[in-house]
Amino acid sequence: MIGMRIAGGLLVAGMTATATACSPAVDRATATVPAAPTATAASQRPSETLSPVLEQPLPNVKGKTFTSAIVDFPPNARAVAHRHGAAFVYAYVLEGTVRSQLAGKPVRTYHQGQNWVEQPGAHHLLTENTSRTKVAKLLVIFISNTGDKLKIEDPPT
């Protein structure tokens, strides 16, 4: 557990240093525009905002791109159910507490310093800030096919 926190902290520190040294990323998903919630979700809860930090093709893996982003969840925010296509996803909680559920898995709650991964094709049914008063933030890393969208929301029901 301590090793995971140290590794996560080193990853965040490394990403911050890399982001400072590199030019801004071009977001292939939604730039810094909040994800479009369904009509029902829009009237009830705010949504998250994805802000790209770095996007770079992997030099040793043809056709793959590394993208890092900060995902901000205002108080009581909830993301629309979604997928990340063929991307492998790593998420690290920078601040606050996030509840998450992937299809076929139980609901899990992650606190600051904890992390999870999503396999390619995973269906993310739930992602929400558990607090009604405090923000939550994630560092999210995508290893995706170059040119693919990073987030594909489920159609409204």
Side-chain angles (χ1 to χ4, degrees):
M1 181 79 163
I2 291 171
M4 290 296 286
R5 287 188 181 176
I6 291 170
L10 292 174
L11 177 62
V12 171
M15 289 307 304
T16 303
T18 301
T20 303
C22 296
S23 60
V26 176
D27 181 26
R28 294 173 279 142
T30 59
T32 57
V33 178
T38 62
T40 304
S43 64
Q44 296 175 0
R45 299 176 83 163
S47 188
E48 84 284 8
T49 303
L50 182 135
S51 301
V53 176
L54 174 71
E55 180 181 68
Q56 180 175 337
L58 290 175
N60 58 340
V61 185
K62 185 178 174 140
K64 295 291 184 179
T65 296
F66 171 98
T67 304
S68 63
I70 302 297
V71 181
D72 290 291
F73 286 86
N76 202 37
R78 183 178 207 160
V80 172
H82 61 276
R83 298 173 194 268
H84 297 290
F88 175 81
V89 180
Y90 169 81
Y92 178 87
V93 182
L94 295 169
E95 184 177 339
T97 302
V98 175
R99 187 175 297 123
S100 177
Q101 182 180 24
L102 299 175
K105 306 285 184 183
V107 174
R108 301 263 328 252
T109 300
Y110 298 94
H111 304 280
Q112 183 177 359
Q114 295 182 313
N115 61 76
W116 72 89
V117 295
E118 298 177 29
Q119 298 300 318
H123 191 193
H124 209 148
L125 302 173
L126 172 69
T127 318
E128 66 183 356
N129 181 350
T130 62
S131 176
R132 293 178 180 254
T133 59
K134 297 178 183 175
V135 299
K137 288 186 181 196
L138 301 174
L139 168 66
V140 181
I141 307 293
F142 302 90
I143 304 298
S144 63
N145 293 330
T146 301
D148 281 2
K149 288 184 99 175
L150 296 178
K151 182 178 179 190
I152 301 127
E153 294 180 351
D154 287 3
T157 55

